[in-house]
Amino acid sequence: MTYPSVSPNILAMEILPKLKSAFRFSNFSLIQKISVGYAAMALFTMAALAFSSFSLYALNKTARGIANKDLPMISSLIKLRTSLLAQESYAGKYQILKDPTFVELFHQREKETMVNLGVLQDLDSSRDTATLNRLYADFRLAAARLFSGESDREGELRALSVRLLNAVDAFYGKRQDLLQAELQSANYQQESTIRWTIIISCTGFLLAIGVAPFVTYRTFRAIRKLQRATHRIAEGDFDYDPQIPPGDEISELARDFTRMAARLKVLEQNSLDASPLTRLPGNIAIERVLDQRLKSGGNFAFCYADLDNFKPFSDHYGYAKGSELLRVTGDLILATVKEVGDPGSFVGHVGGDDFVMVLSTDRVAEVCEAVIRNFDREVRRHFGPEDLARGGIDGCDRYGVHRFFPITTISIAVIICGGDEYSSAVDIARASAQAKDSAKETPGSNYLIVGKRKQA
């Protein structure tokens, strides 16, 4: 990436001869010499500020380029790799089980892959993107042959998947290297800015001692903090704060660096912690949200949702239908919370058939009722007509006893948190587990609020 720059050598070559020439034309009085000295100081100060501003503009442009291009590309590559692994898995399961459900799941992931390839194409129409499109076209063709019944296509599909994943990994590594190079280039630009700004400012300082340092002190200090921030972010310290006060271009650049680091941290954590089935935040994110809410000191509601009779449903209809019900449940809860809950609400997936919601206390009852209403309507679509007519299915419980299980329902245990009643996320989890057992004792979908407090 190129940077607009002003050469300090050119400034010195143009300004110093003119100053010498001016002094030779006449004999100056003291006040004139002082005035010329301050004028020269102001000129050098303006030159130093101009050079710093151009350099800071270039750094700001680099940060925006990273935020608008590099980070979305890296995110799309991560999502693309996840989708490809899922498609390969579904194709392999179809080859073994011949269940058309896996074909539907494959095509759902196929749409996600095309969206991510489109994002990459819009941001970077290089040979790497063209290679990914070509390899994925071959992969889709091989998958279509496999689904059409050509039994000898599994090996071909696996080979194409390996080539495609290797291409994605190579592209991802290249983008990471480019990002590192841009950070290093920005660091070099900062070092150059500091060096030449000091030279120009010290020249003005010699003409009017005591004025120039006062003018440039805050700028130098902020640039050094940005230099330190660049090193720390490049080393992976995404929580580092340069602590630059707001009010100028440097503070805006500092905010860009902070937002860039926060985005990198979120992408890294989400890629490791999110549920691959529902793509909802996992345990790490849930614990982080609870700790933040507890530190804020305000009241909030922690809702622990659990599906009743889910295991018999999964045993009866198969793993794929069970996974589909979990995915639909996650989407349903998230959509309901977005529609009914407050803007600061949070939805997470603990694992299996356990979900959590973090809501404001004044919306919790309305959200729980909406979730139950929407779930009871949706779950009936996943049962066969005969089972719906009977009101449930036959199966074995966890002790191996054969018995009748009603249609799957949802139980929600709500813990009202705030003040000093719960000191950690562990305490909340323990209380919600006890409340969940109480909620599940009542037949059908229901919710139970524990520790509800009167609002002022």
Side-chain angles (χ1 to χ4, degrees), residues 202-271:
C202 287
T203 303
F205 175 79
L206 295 175
L207 298 175
I209 296 177
V211 178
F214 179 79
V215 174
T216 57
Y217 171 75
R218 293 185 65 184
T219 301
F220 293 153
R221 184 180 181 185
I223 292 175
R224 293 190 183 99
K225 288 183 177 180
L226 285 177
Q227 180 188 26
R228 189 180 304 114
T230 302
H231 284 294
R232 297 290 290 273
I233 293 174
E235 293 170 358
D237 186 2
F238 300 130
D239 294 321
Y240 180 75
D241 183 6
Q243 296 182 348
I244 297 177
D248 54 22
E249 296 84 359
I250 302 178
S251 64
E252 182 181 349
L253 178 61
R255 288 194 297 271
D256 287 338
F257 268 83
T258 302
R259 285 194 292 266
M260 177 187 69
R263 182 71 183 277
L264 286 171
K265 181 179 179 180
V266 169
L267 289 174
E268 182 179 70
Q269 291 178 341
N270 287 347
S271 63

Side-chain angles (χ1 to χ4, degrees), residues 10 21 26 40 98 111 119 126 136 156 160 163 273 280 287 299 321 329 333 339 344 371 383 392 413:
I10 295 177
S21 177
S26 60
K98 302 300 181 182
K111 293 179 181 178
V119 172
S126 64
Y136 186 64
E156 177 188 2
L160 289 172
R163 291 180 58 193
D273 181 47
L280 291 174
E287 184 175 351
N299 289 354
K321 292 289 289 183
T329 301
I333 293 175
E339 179 182 357
V371 168
F383 281 79

Side-chain angles (χ1 to χ4, degrees), residues 107-314:
H107 290 314
Q108 291 175 5
R109 288 292 189 167
E110 185 181 49
K111 293 179 181 178
E112 297 174 1
T113 302
M114 296 304 297
V115 170
N116 289 314
L117 286 174
V119 172
L120 293 175
Q121 183 67 35
D122 293 338
L123 295 175
D124 180 40
S125 57
S126 64
R127 182 182 300 176
D128 293 320
T129 305
T131 300
L132 288 180
N133 281 299
R134 177 175 54 81
L135 290 175
Y136 186 64
D138 295 340
F139 178 81
R140 294 174 65 189
L141 181 60
R145 293 172 179 171
L146 177 65
F147 294 147
S148 65
E150 298 184 29
S151 60
D152 60 339
R153 292 293 176 179
E154 183 179 6
E156 177 188 2
L157 188 66
R158 175 58 182 167
L160 289 172
S161 174
V162 171
R163 291 180 58 193
L164 187 54
L165 289 174
N166 288 338
V168 171
D169 292 340
F171 197 2
Y172 178 84
K174 184 181 295 185
R175 295 309 309 181
Q176 288 282 24
D177 292 339
L178 288 176
L179 177 60
Q180 184 67 22
E182 288 178 353
L183 291 174
Q184 291 176 352
S185 180
N187 180 56
Y188 173 79
Q189 179 70 11
Q190 290 174 359
E191 293 175 351
S192 177
T193 299
I194 294 173
R195 181 172 62 253
W196 287 109
T197 303
I198 291 175
I199 293 174
I200 297 173
S201 300
C202 287
T203 303
F205 175 79
L206 295 175
L207 298 175
I209 296 177
V211 178
F214 179 79
V215 174
T216 57
Y217 171 75
R218 293 185 65 184
T219 301
F220 293 153
R221 184 180 181 185
I223 292 175
R224 293 190 183 99
K225 288 183 177 180
L226 285 177
Q227 180 188 26
R228 189 180 304 114
T230 302
H231 284 294
R232 297 290 290 273
I233 293 174
E235 293 170 358
D237 186 2
F238 300 130
D239 294 321
Y240 180 75
D241 183 6
Q243 296 182 348
I244 297 177
D248 54 22
E249 296 84 359
I250 302 178
S251 64
E252 182 181 349
L253 178 61
R255 288 194 297 271
D256 287 338
F257 268 83
T258 302
R259 285 194 292 266
M260 177 187 69
R263 182 71 183 277
L264 286 171
K265 181 179 179 180
V266 169
L267 289 174
E268 182 179 70
Q269 291 178 341
N270 287 347
S271 63
L272 297 175
D273 181 47
S275 167
L277 179 62
T278 62
R279 284 186 283 179
L280 291 174
N283 293 321
I284 296 177
I286 295 171
E287 184 175 351
R288 182 171 62 249
V289 168
L290 289 179
D291 289 339
Q292 291 172 351
R293 293 294 186 105
L294 288 173
K295 289 179 181 179
S296 68
N299 289 354
F300 64 93
F302 177 77
C303 308
Y304 196 125
D306 177 64
L307 302 188
D308 306 315
N309 302 324
F310 171 75
K311 185 179 183 304
F313 171 86
S314 182

Side-chain angles (χ1 to χ4, degrees), residues 67-107:
N68 295 330
K69 180 178 180 180
D70 294 284
L71 292 182
M73 288 188 66
I74 290 175
S75 176
S76 294
L77 287 169
I78 293 174
K79 294 177 181 177
L80 181 62
R81 194 179 198 283
T82 302
S83 296
L84 291 173
L85 288 173
Q87 290 176 69
E88 181 187 3
S89 175
Y90 293 144
K93 292 175 180 178
Y94 173 82
Q95 179 69 14
I96 298 173
L97 302 176
K98 302 300 181 182
D99 189 341
T101 302
F102 293 109
V103 179
E104 296 177 5
L105 296 174
F106 180 94
H107 290 314

Side-chain angles (χ1 to χ4, degrees), residues 17-78:
K18 293 180 180 180
L19 289 175
K20 293 179 180 179
S21 177
F23 275 98
R24 286 198 299 266
F25 285 149
S26 60
N27 295 323
F28 293 109
S29 64
L30 182 59
I31 187 64
Q32 290 173 331
K33 291 181 180 179
I34 293 175
S35 298
V36 170
Y38 275 95
M41 181 275 299
L43 183 62
F44 275 91
T45 301
M46 291 177 63
L49 291 175
F51 182 76
S52 298
S53 297
F54 274 109
S55 299
L56 291 173
Y57 171 79
L59 289 172
N60 193 20
K61 185 177 180 181
T62 300
R64 293 185 184 276
I66 292 174
N68 295 330
K69 180 178 180 180
D70 294 284
L71 292 182
M73 288 188 66
I74 290 175
S75 176
S76 294
L77 287 169
I78 293 174

